[in-house]
Amino acid sequence: MKEWFLLYCKRSEQERAVLNLDRQGVECYYPQVLINKLVRGKRIEVEEPLFPSYMFVYFDPEEISYTTIRSTRGVADFIRQGRMPQPIRAELLYGLMLNENTQEQQSKLSTLPQPGDKLVLEKGQYKGIEAIYHEPDGEKRSFMLINLLGKEVKVSVDNSEIVKK
């Protein structure tokens, strides 16, 4: 039975991993966002992974072994709890897919709140909850993803779900 798993990829090799996993019949997903960055003194929009070095894969472990996936070029290893890779709840992943930034939402990324700003969530299961904006950095978003999967405490919400207080 097919399930979703989380992979850790070698630094900046997600594209390579996707190509090689795709050839093996493994479905891959890693959300990307447009970010305004200062490059060589000019502000440009750059597309970057929402969770750098992490990718979700969908496959049947009885058809394709964990070792085959782990040995794929660009892949470092599975995120595990104990010895075996742990499946990811599909609802969590489909929620990410549904909230993936559209072009309209991506333009809002240039007006992100500053860390420490108080916000109120407008949509989703956390509607009406006051929150404090914490992190725009991709590497730290990845740590928050791992905490979310392990503890289910920290949440990442779409920018359209928040209002500055």
Side-chain angles (χ1 to χ4, degrees), residues 108-122:
K108 293 180 184 177
L109 288 176
S110 59
T111 59
L112 283 176
Q114 297 301 310
D117 284 355
K118 290 186 178 183
L119 311 168
V120 177
L121 304 179
E122 287 184 329

Side-chain angles (χ1 to χ4, degrees), residues 24-155:
Q24 298 173 41
V26 176
E27 185 179 337
C28 303
Y29 171 69
Y30 66 102
Q32 296 190 11
V33 293
L34 280 177
I35 303 284
N36 282 326
K37 284 194 170 184
L38 196 61
V39 178
R40 295 187 203 115
K42 296 181 182 176
R43 189 163 293 281
I44 61 169
E45 279 192 345
V46 178
E47 191 172 52
E48 71 175 33
L50 183 60
F51 307 113
S53 299
Y54 291 91
M55 175 186 343
F56 298 97
V57 291
Y58 187 64
F59 69 99
D60 185 350
E62 293 180 10
E63 292 179 16
I64 303 171
S65 72
Y66 296 119
T67 307
T68 302
I69 302 290
R70 198 180 69 234
S71 301
T72 301
R73 291 188 75 177
V75 173
D77 204 352
F78 284 92
I79 301 301
R80 307 167 183 267
Q81 189 171 9
R83 284 185 55 215
M84 298 298 293
Q86 294 298 307
I88 305 296
R89 287 191 345 239
E91 306 87 53
L92 172 71
L93 198 58
Y94 296 139
L96 271 175
M97 289 177 178
L98 285 173
N99 290 319
E100 190 168 9
N101 293 326
T102 62
Q103 290 297 335
E104 177 184 311
Q105 291 168 330
Q106 286 178 350
S107 65
K108 293 180 184 177
L109 288 176
S110 59
T111 59
L112 283 176
Q114 297 301 310
D117 284 355
K118 290 186 178 183
L119 311 168
V120 177
L121 304 179
E122 287 184 329
K123 298 180 185 171
Q125 64 187 25
Y126 300 103
K127 183 178 179 178
I129 302 286
E130 288 187 17
I132 297 174
Y133 185 74
H134 183 67
E135 195 55 57
D137 180 51
E139 292 294 327
K140 292 184 181 174
R141 285 192 308 261
S142 297
F143 291 123
M144 290 194 286
L145 168 69
I146 299 303
N147 287 334
L148 174 67
L149 295 175
K151 299 177 189 174
E152 297 186 24
V153 174
K154 293 183 181 179
V155 245

